[in-house]
């Protein structure tokens, strides 16, 4: 084995055991995953492991006394795909920072505490003794469908779940805001097991780890697919003004397939608990502050497709050449047509985008 490793240029030195030599041999010759494959297999929603990792996402108390290993946008790029990849990584970390701050604020408001069922019992379920406008305790959560992966893929094609909450404690605008949740809104499912007992003062020290103090174990993102009534029937999107009877609300959610695959693999490999049976808090954010998933999906789709830049824009976009070369007076060839792809939804949308121009839409 040592001679084979030496001939294949993966020999690690004398005195290595067989396990180390096999690992070196495998590592040297295994197929490398390209950055595009890595991005395609990444989860779009950040988890607790990333959100509260100070090496990846620094806290708001960062003073600038040390360097941060964060991706940065350069003045020049190797290709348009390189520019998209850097933008994807940077925007993902920026969105993760905002989501973390929002979740921390919600947890501080709901004040999770551990309640002892009885004196002779070790069971201490978490209760929420506070109130937050943007969060509600989960009444019921269940994964209802996991479809098989598409050809050539390893992650499930779709993972669907249903979540149910109770709006009985909400009044006025807060209740109306939860009823206004619509398709494609992003929600967050948290698992909290508070170490603070009922009756103790709820106080979190900013200098210490947030997850350890609050008891936050898991955080997973999801997207609203449909709203359901009390019988489990789908409420059409165009019937947004329909009043749902009772205080119970139920939504059908689409989970991140890549993250679900990772959680399932870890459960099988390490014998870990099922993350999707532990959620006890549902969190929402304002729609205007919560569009990161659509942006990341768009960038990832552009990475997967071959996007060709016009010749007169290519060098300027990548940071080379004369910046004035892209001005219309210096364009060597006149651009007669421009493909807007799926930018416009309809003919009315197209006319509205150019109100001062005469827009002619051919039949068909």
């Amino acid at each position: 084995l040592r001679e084979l490793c030496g001939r294949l240029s993966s020999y690690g030195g004398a005195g290595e055991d067989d396990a180390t030599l096999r690992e070196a041999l495998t590592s040297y010759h295994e197929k490398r995953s390209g950055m595009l494959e890595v991005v395609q297999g990444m989860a779009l929603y950040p988890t607790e492991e990333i959100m509260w990792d100070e090496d990846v996402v620094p806290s708001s108390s960062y003073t600038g006394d040390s360097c941060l290993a964060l991706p940065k946008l350069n003045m020049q790029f190797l290709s348009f795909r390189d520019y998209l990849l850097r933008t994807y990584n940077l925007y993902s970390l920026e969105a993760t920072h905002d989501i973390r701050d929002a979740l921390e604020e919600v947890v501080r408001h709901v004040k999770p505490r551990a309640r002892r069922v009885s004196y002779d019992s070790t069971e201490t379920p978490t209760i929420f003794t506070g109130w937050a406008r943007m969060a509600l305790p989960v009444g019921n959560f269940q994964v209802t469908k996991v479809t098989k992966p598409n050809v050539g893929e390893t992650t499930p094609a779709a993972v669907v779940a249903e979540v149910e909450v109770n709006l009985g404690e909400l009044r006025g605008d807060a209740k109306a805001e939860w009823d206004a949740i619509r398709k494609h809104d992003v929600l967050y499912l948290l698992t909290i097991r508070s170490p603070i007992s009922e009756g103790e003062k709820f106080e979190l020290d900013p200098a210490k780890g947030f997850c350890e103090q609050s008891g936050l174990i898991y955080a997973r993102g999801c997207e609203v697919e449909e709203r359901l009534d009390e019988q489990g029937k789908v409420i059409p999107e165009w019937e947004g003004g329909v009043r749902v009877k009772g205080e119970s609300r139920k939504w059908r959610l689409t989970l991140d397939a890549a993250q679900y695959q990772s959680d399932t693999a870890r459960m099988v490999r390490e014998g870990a608990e099922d993350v999707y049976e532990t959620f006890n808090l549902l969190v929402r954010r304002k729609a205007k502050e919560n569009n990161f998933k659509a942006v990341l999906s768009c960038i990832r789709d552009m990475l997967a497709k071959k996007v060709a830049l016009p010749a007169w824009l290519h060098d300027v976009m990548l940071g080379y050449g004369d910046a004035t070369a892209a001005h219309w007076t210096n364009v060597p060839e006149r651009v007669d047509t421009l493909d807007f792809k799926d930018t416009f939804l309809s003919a009315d949308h197209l006319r509205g985008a150019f109100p001062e121009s005469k827009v002619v839409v051919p039949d068909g």
Side-chain angles (χ1 to χ4, degrees):
L1 181 62
R2 186 175 290 105
E3 182 181 357
L4 177 63
C5 290
R7 289 179 179 273
L8 296 177
S9 302
S10 57
Y11 178 56
E16 301 290 349
D17 57 8
D18 291 351
T20 304
L21 292 175
R22 286 194 297 269
E23 182 66 25
L25 187 65
T26 303
S27 177
Y28 187 82
H29 293 281
E30 68 180 350
K31 181 182 177 181
R32 308 295 179 182
S33 299
M35 286 303 300
L36 181 58
E37 296 178 4
V38 173
V39 171
Q40 291 295 326
M42 289 174 57
L44 292 175
Y45 306 105
T47 64
E48 74 286 344
E49 296 178 353
I50 298 177
M51 281 190 279
W52 283 278
D53 187 346
E54 293 292 334
D55 296 330
V56 179
V57 185
S59 63
S60 302
S61 59
Y62 172 70
T63 58
D65 55 349
S66 61
C67 296
L68 298 176
L70 296 178
K72 300 174 179 63
L73 289 178
N74 292 338
M75 297 299 293
Q76 295 179 336
F77 304 94
L78 299 176
S79 63
F80 185 57
R81 180 168 289 177
D82 177 44
Y83 167 76
L84 290 176
L85 184 59
R86 290 175 180 269
T87 303
Y88 179 92
N89 292 331
L90 191 62
Y91 186 83
S92 176
L93 292 178
E94 181 182 0
T96 300
H97 185 277
D98 294 338
I99 295 170
R100 183 186 64 183
D101 290 346
L103 295 183
E104 287 185 0
E105 182 180 0
V106 165
V107 173
R108 287 190 177 93
H109 280 83
V110 297
K111 298 180 179 179
R113 287 185 171 92
R115 168 181 289 178
R116 184 176 294 276
V117 178
S118 61
Y119 290 103
D120 57 348
S121 174
T122 59
E123 184 180 357
T124 55
T126 297
I127 60 173
F128 302 100
T129 59
W131 180 85
R133 190 184 192 94
M134 312 299 286
L136 284 173
V138 172
N140 184 36
F141 178 86
Q142 183 180 7
V143 177
T144 57
K145 182 173 67 174
V146 180
T147 58
K148 295 182 179 180
N150 296 324
V151 177
E153 298 180 358
T154 58
T155 59
V159 180
V160 182
E162 293 182 2
V163 64
E164 185 176 358
V165 297
N166 191 285
L167 308 184
E169 297 182 358
L170 301 180
R171 296 292 183 272
D173 295 341
K175 187 174 182 179
E177 289 174 1
W178 281 94
D179 278 331
I181 292 178
R182 58 181 61 189
K183 187 175 181 178
H184 299 309
D185 282 355
V186 175
L187 305 177
Y188 304 90
L189 295 158
L190 306 184
T191 299
I192 301 178
R193 295 168 183 158
S194 179
I196 303 175
S197 300
E198 188 178 11
E200 295 182 6
K201 184 177 180 181
F202 185 87
E203 187 175 359
L204 303 181
D205 187 356
K208 299 180 181 180
F210 176 81
C211 293
E212 292 77 6
Q213 296 182 86
S214 63
L216 194 149
I217 307 297
Y218 305 116
R220 297 291 183 270
C222 57
E223 183 178 354
V224 176
E225 185 65 26
E226 295 170 326
R227 187 170 63 148
L228 308 177
D229 59 17
E230 56 184 0
Q231 284 82 28
K233 297 181 180 179
V234 177
I235 301 177
E237 186 69 22
W238 55 271
E239 295 182 2
V242 174
R243 184 176 180 180
V244 182
K245 298 180 180 179
E247 304 295 344
S248 179
R249 298 293 184 273
K250 182 184 292 186
W251 293 277
R252 182 167 291 146
L253 310 173
T254 302
L255 305 179
D256 193 302
Q259 186 61 53
Y260 182 85
Q261 176 76 7
S262 177
D263 292 333
T264 305
R266 184 174 60 179
M267 181 177 61
V268 174
R269 182 179 61 254
E270 303 177 4
E273 65 177 342
D274 189 352
V275 176
Y276 301 90
E277 292 183 354
T278 63
F279 298 130
N280 56 2
L281 189 68
L282 182 67
V283 181
R284 64 180 178 87
R285 294 178 66 201
K286 295 181 180 179
K288 294 182 179 180
E289 303 172 355
N290 203 34
N291 62 346
F292 74 97
K293 194 261 184 181
V295 175
L296 292 178
S297 297
C298 180
I299 298 176
R300 193 168 67 174
D301 291 343
M302 293 179 67
L303 281 168
K305 299 177 182 178
K306 185 177 180 181
V307 180
L309 291 175
W312 53 271
L313 182 61
H314 184 273
D315 291 345
V316 177
M317 183 69 186
L318 300 184
Y320 300 95
D322 184 8
T324 61
H327 194 268
W328 68 274
T329 57
N330 298 325
V331 175
E333 298 180 0
R334 180 180 175 183
V335 180
D336 295 325
T337 61
L338 183 61
D339 186 3
F340 285 94
K341 298 187 182 296
D342 59 350
T343 302
F344 303 104
L345 304 177
S346 61
D348 293 337
H349 185 199
L350 176 61
R351 294 188 182 93
F354 301 95
E356 299 180 358
S357 303
K358 182 180 179 181
V359 178
V360 179
V361 180
D363 296 337

